[in-house]
Amino acid sequence: MPSEVEADPLRLDLHLCFDLQNASRAFGDVYRRALKDTGLTYPQYLVMITLWENGELPVGRISQLLRLDTGTLSPLLKRMESAGLVTRTRSTTDERSVIVRLTESGEQLRGTAQRVPDEIHAAAGLSEQEALVLQKTLRQLALSLLSS
C-alpha cells in the first residue's frame, strides 16, 4: 500500500514549506500585537535585540547576524534613526563602514520589550523543552537548505 506522499506528492497538506509559511505568518501576527507598545516592527525588534546584546555594531555585522542584506537593512536603520532609537555614524578607521549605536531612548525601550519573549512563548503554546527542540530542528533545517 503506497504512503500518502507516494499516492500524491503534490498535495498541499504534505508540503513542509506551506506549514512553515503559515507558522511564520502566525508568528508575525503575534509579534505585531506583542510589539505594539514598543512601536517597533518585527525587523526593527530584531535589530534592537542585536544591539542590546552586542552594543554598537557596524551595519555589515548586523546584516550578517540577522541574515539581511544591507539594501534591506539600511532603510530600516534610517527609519529607526528618525525615530530616535539609534544613531548611524561613519567609522573613523574605515570610511566605508557605518557604526550603529543605541540612543538613550533605544536603551530605555529594552525595559518595555522585556515582556515580548514571554508573550510569544505563551502564544506558541509550547513547553520550554518543546520550544528548544523545535528551534534546534529549524536551525538544522535552515543549515541544510542553505548548504544545498
Side-chain angles (χ1 to χ4, degrees), residues 43-58:
Q44 290 172 338
Y45 175 68
L46 294 179
V47 170
M48 295 300 286
I49 288 173
T50 302
L51 294 172
W52 289 325
E53 183 178 339
N54 297 285
E56 66 182 49
L57 289 171

Side-chain angles (χ1 to χ4, degrees), residues 35-141:
L35 291 171
K36 190 172 185 164
D37 292 344
T38 68
L40 297 171
T41 63
Y42 179 69
Q44 290 172 338
Y45 175 68
L46 294 179
V47 170
M48 295 300 286
I49 288 173
T50 302
L51 294 172
W52 289 325
E53 183 178 339
N54 297 285
E56 66 182 49
L57 289 171
V59 171
R61 183 65 182 139
I62 297 170
S63 174
Q64 289 173 336
L65 290 169
L66 296 180
R67 293 172 183 86
L68 291 173
D69 65 71
T70 55
T72 300
L73 190 56
S74 292
L76 180 72
L77 291 171
K78 283 180 186 177
R79 286 190 299 276
M80 293 175 74
E81 186 174 42
S82 293
L85 299 173
V86 300
T87 61
R88 297 175 307 135
T89 54
R90 291 254 172 235
S91 168
T92 56
T93 57
D94 180 0
E95 251 186 51
R96 297 168 297 168
S97 182
V98 174
I99 306 298
V100 181
R101 293 175 181 87
L102 290 167
T103 62
E104 188 175 324
S105 293
E107 289 283 1
Q108 290 175 353
L109 190 57
R110 183 182 180 130
T112 305
Q114 289 283 358
R115 62 169 175 63
V116 172
D118 287 339
E119 287 185 35
I120 300 304
H121 285 284
L126 299 173
S127 70
E128 187 175 335
Q129 184 60 36
E130 289 169 326
L132 289 172
V133 169
L134 178 58
Q135 192 172 31
K136 182 179 178 185
T137 301
L138 289 172
R139 286 178 180 165
Q140 289 171 338
L141 176 62

Side-chain angles (χ1 to χ4, degrees), residues 2-38:
S3 71
E4 287 185 48
V5 175
E6 292 169 334
D8 188 358
L10 295 180
R11 282 184 33 199
L12 183 60
D13 65 336
L14 296 177
H15 282 75
L16 177 61
C17 59
F18 184 67
D19 291 319
L20 285 169
Q21 179 184 11
N22 284 334
S24 179
R25 258 190 287 192
F27 260 113
D29 292 343
V30 172
Y31 267 102
R32 243 183 312 287
R33 289 190 305 270
L35 291 171
K36 190 172 185 164
D37 292 344
T38 68

